[in-house]
Amino acid sequence: MPDTNFAGETLGRYRVDSLLGEGGMGAVYRAFDTTLDRYVALKILPPELTHHSDRLERFIREARTASALNHPHLVSVYEVGSDTRDGTPVHFIAMELVEGATLRDRLAGGRLDLRRALQWLSQVADAVAAAHAAGITHRDLKPENIVISNNGYAKVLDFGLAKLRLTAAEDDERTAVKDTDPGVVMGTVGYMSPEQAQGRTADARSDVFSLGCILYEVVAGRRAFQGDSSIDTLHKIINSHPPSLAAERPDAPFELQRIVSKALEKDPDDRYQSVKELSIDLRRLIRELESNPSIITVSSGGHPVVRTSRSPITFVMAAALLIVAIVAIVAAVLWMRRPAEPPPRKAMEITRITSLGTVISASISPDGKLIAYVTSDQGMQGLWLRQIATGRDLELVPSDRQAFWSHTFTNDGNAIVFGVRMDRHPSGAFYEISTLGGTPRHLLDGIDSPPSFSPDGKQMTWVRASFPKQNQSALMLANTDGSAVRSVTTTTLPKRFAPIFFTAPAWSPDGTTIAVSENSFEGNVEARIIDVDVSAGTERVLSDGWRFLSQLTWLPDRSALLAVGERSDGRTQGSQVWRVPLSGAAPEAITADLLDYRSVSLSADGKLLVTVVQDAESSVWRMPFDASAEPERLTRERLDGIRGTAAMRDGSALYATLRTGVFRLVRMQPDGTALDVTSGTVESRYPAPDADDRSMLYVAMTDAGAELRWMSLEGKDERVLATGIDPGPAGISPDGKWAVFADDGRLKKIATSGGPVSEWSLPGVASNPVISPGGTEVAFELYDGAQTRIAVASIDGGPIVWSRPYVGGRNSAMFHWAPDGRGFLLNTMPGDRANIWHVPMEGEPRKLTSFNDQNIGWFDLTPDGKTLVFSRLVLSRDAVLITGF
């Protein structure tokens, strides 16, 4: 073993295990962080090179550069440090350990699947674009510096040749890294740009060229520029063009040929001027490949041809088809001679319009030819327009850290009004943008839903939270230019029009009334549809008996409303699309499946319905909380744990499963044996065991509403503690003697043996209570009309003793006490749904797990704080078109 091998040694707090690879800037080892109990990749500069000041400076520069970046497709840098070995300094960087293979290794295995490869390169482009936005150029992009994780995600590493963009002040004071000296060639031969090859100054467009080289190689299966020697390769980069992609990969789309050619232009001014532009074109191409069955390719002659996924039709097949066609024509003639009959009613059809998995809202134009949709990925949201007939997309609002509150086409179909929330519009704002693109025009502030337009197109209505008072929400009215803002009617907590995600009022076709969803915490019936007279502001109830309601829209003949919601009688699972007749008849389910729907948008003739459908897969996992072992998957059913997951003292997992057609609770023991805990036809959810595994609470969803039930896990005794409660999780004390729950938005407590109910006096709506490990305090979510907070009060019913804003947001979020009782564990943080975070009562949040895919759903710790039981979810959301409904 060479004396430069560090396997088996300790550097700082890292125990070095094995060598992973070596490069020009050092060796990379697998190592264990003994302080944080996690594995890392440790990059070590060889000791014999430490006296080279330029190498050491570049090594430190890599650490500082990479640590400034934070992106899901960039390898995270944890620490830069040093130690000594036999009196010699050893410098190292501790980085995120990505289990997988480099893109070079993948290429060595043969030609890659085109769509998968394009997805990887799109992720790489997004990561490099993020680095450029931070003023950092990589300058050494190549397959060796791209890792494909075992989970199928691309990660970019090695910013050892990165150059920081200097500000004027930094340039004067020379406080940042200096530019490469003119005439010095930096980069890897075969992937460097012509300006790098000539020793000229290289900017971000040099990375564009390198990405073009990688893209060419991934598609063609050979390098774009490769000579007999390094000098010959450099000459080709400067003077030659690579062979046509059409010759190397006949199935390569014509658009891909254009993208690669543009990225490989010799003159930087002729290339993509940013990696962001390249990334947008790649994403658009990927969407076209996924949604369009006809793939435009390039023939060997360089002319576009159309090729479908079907195999070529042989002569025999063609003859057979001809015979079938003749028979069909004869049959058609005979059929036309029959007496005319009324056409049968067309069956309802659901057609997927997008296949991205990241679409969170969609609306259809009045003429039914366009849809607008919002994508949300890794905390970035953008607005797109698609031609339904062609599948062509136009990016209207580029993806950014902003939150869209859906959108609506204007009555003439020439523009889209969208709601968005961002730093400069914390209360939300309406913007209008032409369907041809351009600069959005600001209309007004203070929105919590998309608008609905009056029939004459002169006014719009929407809902606003915390208005006119903090504990109220209002149905608003304004001119379509944003002027003359006023409220039509208001409601007071616990009733509310907003905020309800993806809610929207609906202006009636005759222009006289506005229908709006009113959700509340009063009794078993939590939501209803009310109709508000535009002139008088008077209200009437159109439909009640709902557990939840969001967006509404009218049918053109005003015979019914379409609504997204869930009935209180449990007739369907989750949020579905309903027809609500104005005759007073019972609502009819248009969709009735295990998917969730979140919006409704109709064409002007009422024949085309666009909605967004969310599909989910969930499974239950277990792992040591200190991450000393890999996570273990416990279940295989499709929706295991999606309605609740809990951990028991012996390491068992309690979870809800849909295996028998109705959610019930199952206990998975440490040896893998699954035992039924509840049975029957009543849905069971949200298990909460005590610290001794003797009893538990759970919520039963009966026809009369949600019930809080206590059950002995020893003798299976059971009792109902409360009825008509809020349908959310409850908390049990560690000794199993007390239960806390939410009822009508109020926090309540009851002994598990039964008895009187007590409650807290709180300034807002409470939900999701959990009792502290010591049993002396209760934490809960508190919504005061303006924001949601995590609040803590004494278990004896005292006032709030601590609170802070809920940093993760409320969308499918949950929290638990940390084992020390001085903070909380959350499953949702801005831009991250894949991990569990520790939020101390004092200090900044810290990520505890290191997952980079799927979402964390329900989770729980064993009472000793050593074992984590959790559900992981894969969510897919896309726009669908419904006809014949």
Side-chain angles (χ1 to χ4, degrees), residues 102 105 160 216 346 437 766:
T102 66
D105 296 330
Y216 181 96
K346 187 178 180 180

Side-chain angles (χ1 to χ4, degrees), residues 97-179:
L97 178 63
V98 182
E99 302 286 359
T102 66
L103 182 58
R104 170 65 63 216
D105 296 330
R106 295 274 187 163
L107 288 168
R111 179 168 289 184
L112 303 175
D113 175 78
L114 182 59
R115 295 185 185 182
R116 181 176 297 177
L118 291 179
Q119 288 281 7
W120 291 337
L121 267 297
S122 175
Q123 294 167 3
V124 170
D126 286 343
V128 176
H132 289 179
I136 301 168
T137 307
H138 193 290
R139 296 198 300 167
D140 195 25
L141 290 169
K142 55 187 177 182
E144 289 81 358
N145 282 338
I146 298 170
V147 177
I148 309 301
S149 73
N150 292 338
N151 295 320
Y153 290 90
K155 291 267 190 176
V156 182
L157 49 81
D158 198 353
F159 274 78
L161 298 176
K163 177 184 67 176
L164 287 174
R165 183 177 61 215
L166 302 179
T167 65
E170 290 171 333
D171 192 30
D172 290 340
E173 300 175 12
R174 311 310 294 169
T175 58
V177 182
K178 294 189 294 184
D179 289 356

Side-chain angles (χ1 to χ4, degrees), residues 348-387:
M348 188 177 81
E349 294 183 1
I350 300 179
T351 306
R352 187 179 294 269
I353 301 175
T354 64
S355 55
L356 304 171
T358 58
V359 175
I360 61 171
S361 66
S363 60
I364 190 168
S365 61
D367 62 7
K369 295 181 178 180
L370 303 171
I371 67 161
Y373 64 92
V374 170
T375 59
S376 179
D377 190 21
Q378 302 292 341
M380 307 287 282
Q381 295 188 7
L383 177 64
W384 294 80
L385 186 71
R386 170 168 292 188
Q387 265 189 329

Side-chain angles (χ1 to χ4, degrees), residues 32-39 625-628:
F32 186 73
D33 185 335
T34 58
T35 300
L36 297 180
D37 293 340
R38 63 181 176 185
Y39 283 96
F625 189 57
D626 61 6
S628 58

Side-chain angles (χ1 to χ4, degrees), residues 562-631:
L562 299 187
V564 174
E566 181 180 2
R567 295 291 291 171
S568 296
D569 57 15
R571 287 165 53 191
T572 58
Q573 294 281 352
S575 183
Q576 302 290 320
V577 180
W578 297 79
R579 180 190 292 105
V580 185
L582 268 292
S583 63
E588 307 165 14
I590 293 177
T591 61
D593 48 43
L594 295 178
L595 306 175
D596 279 310
Y597 296 81
R598 62 175 13 174
S599 62
V600 282
S601 176
L602 277 176
S603 58
D605 60 10
K607 295 181 179 180
L608 304 177
L609 166 63
V610 164
T611 180
V612 170
V613 60
Q614 174 174 290
D615 194 8
E617 293 185 14
S618 175
S619 55
V620 180
W621 297 65
R622 180 171 56 203
M623 67 178 290
F625 189 57
D626 61 6
S628 58
E630 293 296 316

Side-chain angles (χ1 to χ4, degrees), residues 808-831:
R810 292 195 65 191
N811 190 17
S812 302
M814 68 167 298
F815 70 96
H816 274 293
W817 285 89
D820 62 4
R822 297 301 305 160
F824 302 94
L825 307 180
L826 272 68
N827 70 337
T828 300
M829 291 290 284

Side-chain angles (χ1 to χ4, degrees), residues 523-542:
N524 296 333
V525 179
E526 299 172 1
R528 60 185 185 173
I529 300 173
I530 64 173
D531 201 25
V532 182
D533 186 279
V534 177
S535 300
T538 54
E539 303 175 8
R540 64 173 178 142
V541 177
L542 294 182

